Amino acid sequence: MTDGGVLGMLDRTRLLASFPPNPTPRALVAATILVEEGFAAITVDIGDLEWVERFDTALGGRAVLGVHGVRTADDLSRAQSAGATYVLAPIGTKTLVQAAARRSLPIFAGALTPTEIAAAATLGATAVLVHPADVLGTTYAPHAVAAANGARVIVGGTSPYGVTHWLNAGAYAGVADPSLLGDLPSSSDIGFLRDRARNYTSEATRIGPWSPPAS
């Protein structure tokens, strides 16, 4: 499955930002800052589908919007109806991937162990989402990429340091960990967000566009 939208963005930017559940109005400002600093793929939780439209309106098409936490075919339907152009599934299954394919909806299928990654890579998903990658550390990166056997690998929940190691190991893209946006709802000043975002985007820019593994 291919898609010129989210894959077109990630080919260049290599990064996704996932908003935590229950965003506040402050999230609209945060999303604008993220886009200005180089994040062009943003997701919201399956429980916050109304925010897909809110972000789309605020960002004016400058980012591709998706939904994370998708687990069922009904979730797929609701996410797509809300305007999502791709989804992240923490647990990738054949049934879910096939349902997404019928909808022409790009899906990043979750897996963790080498066996799970290898299995997910055969399902026809847009990419394999290695999640939660932080529990195994950056030394796991080349092993996870190798297990995918050429399929795109997106690392779920990683730091700027982790992004460097995973992208250099051949991963396709990285989802920023909760430190990027986790304390946003309680912060009185979100100016810090630019620095946090730049920590990610500077590394992704330095590494450059993704190249498919040599066959």
Side-chain angles (χ1 to χ4, degrees):
M1 183 188 300
T2 60
D3 175 70
V6 64
L7 294 188
M9 286 291 195
L10 293 181
D11 281 346
R12 300 187 301 274
T13 67
R14 314 290 298 277
L15 295 169
L16 297 92
S18 291
F19 275 81
N22 303 314
T24 69
R26 190 183 301 273
L28 296 174
V29 177
T32 299
I33 291 173
L34 291 178
V35 169
E36 290 172 352
E37 297 303 331
F39 280 84
I42 290 173
T43 71
V44 301
D45 187 76
I46 187 64
D48 300 311
L49 293 178
E50 70 277 9
W51 279 86
V52 176
E53 183 176 1
R54 295 185 71 176
F55 280 136
D56 188 43
T57 299
L59 299 175
R62 291 179 293 164
V64 288
L65 300 172
V67 170
H68 60 262
V70 168
R71 296 178 181 273
T72 67
D74 181 62
D75 287 344
L76 288 174
S77 177
R78 293 191 298 118
Q80 192 169 42
S81 295
T85 58
Y86 61 98
V87 296
L88 279 63
I91 301 174
T93 66
K94 183 177 181 180
T95 299
L96 199 57
V97 171
Q98 289 179 340
R102 288 192 294 271
R103 294 180 171 276
S104 298
L105 183 64
I107 182 170
F108 304 154
L112 183 59
T113 69
T115 299
E116 292 170 349
I117 293 169
T122 68
L123 297 178
T126 310
V128 178
L129 175 67
V130 180
H131 176 83
D134 58 346
V135 303
L136 296 177
T138 57
T139 57
Y140 183 51
H143 305 289
V145 171
N149 195 30
R152 291 178 177 86
V153 169
I154 293 178
V155 53
T158 188
S159 65
Y161 171 83
V163 161
T164 301
H165 286 269
W166 278 89
L167 297 191
N168 279 330
Y172 176 62
V175 183
D177 69 19
S179 69
L180 178 65
L181 292 163
D183 60 354
L184 183 64
S186 61
S187 174
S188 59
D189 178 6
I190 62 172
F192 68 90
L193 183 57
R194 289 194 186 276
D195 289 336
R196 291 187 181 182
R198 287 170 183 170
N199 288 338
Y200 282 95
T201 57
S202 62
E203 287 303 296
T205 299
R206 181 180 62 81
I207 295 168
W210 182 73
S211 297
S215 57

